[in-house]
Amino acid sequence: MTVTQDLSFLSLITNASLLVQLVMALLLLVSVMSWSYIFRKMFAIKSARSQTEEFERAFWSGGNLGALYEEAGSNRRRTGALERIFESGMGEFNKARAAFGGKGMVDAGGVIDGARRAMRAAYQREMDALESHLAFLASVGSVSPYVGLFGTVWGIMNAFRGLANVQQATLAAVAPGIAEALIATAIGLFAAIPAVVAYNRYSHDIDRLAIRFESFIEEFSNILQRQVR
């Protein structure tokens, strides 16, 4: 470690030991990736909420279910998560009714169970997509401070080891090394705090969307059950 009296931020980083610099570089890389996922997830959740509200208005406006199903199939690229869940359930419902069409009695329970299972499968796919990268944010929030602390401990240890090479131990001799080491903790916190805040916020938003999806599945199943009687 090079002892320096220049305590500027850039100078402290460039004069830190190699291991501390590697720790800082790792934390900066993780922070950049974290911010990338934070913005991507923000836009994804905002889009999912907007598309869900738009489809709920169309669905509960009393329109024809067949027309909604055809529209969902024709605009597949623009459909939202809730619309894809509806499409899966309605498609399975139509297939089951067609299968029983020429056989007289329709198994209402089997038809509804099939539609519900299809919607549940679609629901799981949509939730997996919405929850993607949340585990990364959680890991960054929990691990980054400890990684930064490791760099700090290593840097402070080197700073005190450097005192063995000087005849008189003074605070001025050890202060630059300690300042270099503490930057690693600061960078670790800079990476962790936004990740924790984003994870908590996005988890809450996704849970609320999940409740809306599950409520729709149950309500739509009741509608289909009335139609199959």
Side-chain angles (χ1 to χ4, degrees):
M1 180 187 65
T2 302
V3 178
T4 177
Q5 295 301 320
D6 184 1
L7 298 182
S8 65
F9 188 79
L10 182 59
S11 178
L12 290 174
I13 293 177
T14 56
N15 287 288
S17 65
L18 178 60
L19 182 59
V20 176
Q21 287 180 338
L22 291 176
V23 169
M24 293 178 184
L26 175 62
L27 290 173
L28 287 174
L29 175 62
V30 167
S31 179
V32 170
M33 294 177 61
S34 175
W35 278 105
S36 173
Y37 289 143
I38 286 172
F39 284 112
R40 288 169 59 184
K41 190 58 60 180
M42 178 182 67
F43 293 128
I45 292 177
K46 182 179 180 180
S47 177
R49 186 188 298 116
S50 175
Q51 291 171 333
T52 297
E53 292 173 353
E54 181 180 354
F55 178 74
E56 283 180 337
R57 285 194 298 268
F59 182 85
W60 295 114
S61 65
N64 183 270
L65 294 180
L68 281 177
Y69 177 68
E70 292 179 1
E71 183 178 355
S74 61
N75 298 326
R76 190 173 300 274
R77 291 185 178 181
R78 295 184 297 170
T79 57
L82 188 59
E83 192 167 359
R84 287 189 288 269
I85 293 173
F86 161 77
E87 184 182 4
S88 297
M90 193 67 187
E92 183 63 28
F93 177 77
N94 291 337
K95 292 177 183 177
R97 291 192 67 180
F100 283 104
K103 300 179 181 179
M105 186 66 67
V106 175
D107 183 5
V111 171
I112 299 303
D113 287 342
R116 184 180 284 110
R117 285 194 298 270
M119 286 190 287
R120 281 289 172 184
Y123 165 83
Q124 290 297 333
R125 289 193 296 270
E126 298 300 333
M127 292 307 300
D128 287 343
L130 285 173
E131 292 174 351
S132 63
H133 306 309
L134 282 186
F136 177 81
L137 293 178
S139 298
V140 171
S142 60
V143 174
S144 291
Y146 296 103
V147 176
L149 183 60
F150 169 75
T152 296
V153 171
W154 188 271
I156 292 176
M157 182 181 66
N158 283 343
F160 280 106
R161 286 174 58 189
L163 291 179
N165 299 324
V166 298
Q167 294 180 350
Q168 184 177 3
T170 63
L171 182 61
V174 73
I178 295 177
E180 294 164 4
L182 290 175
I183 292 179
T185 296
I187 296 177
L189 294 175
F190 176 78
I193 292 174
V196 171
V197 173
Y199 173 80
N200 291 333
R201 177 61 186 177
Y202 295 158
S203 295
H204 172 74
D205 292 342
I206 291 173
D207 286 342
R208 292 188 59 112
L209 283 172
I211 292 173
R212 294 173 72 171
F213 294 164
E214 290 178 337
S215 299
F216 175 81
I217 290 174
E218 296 304 319
E219 292 170 341
F220 186 45
S221 297
N222 291 334
I223 294 174
L224 295 179
Q225 189 169 12
R226 289 194 296 267
Q227 288 194 358
V228 79
R229 289 176 180 175

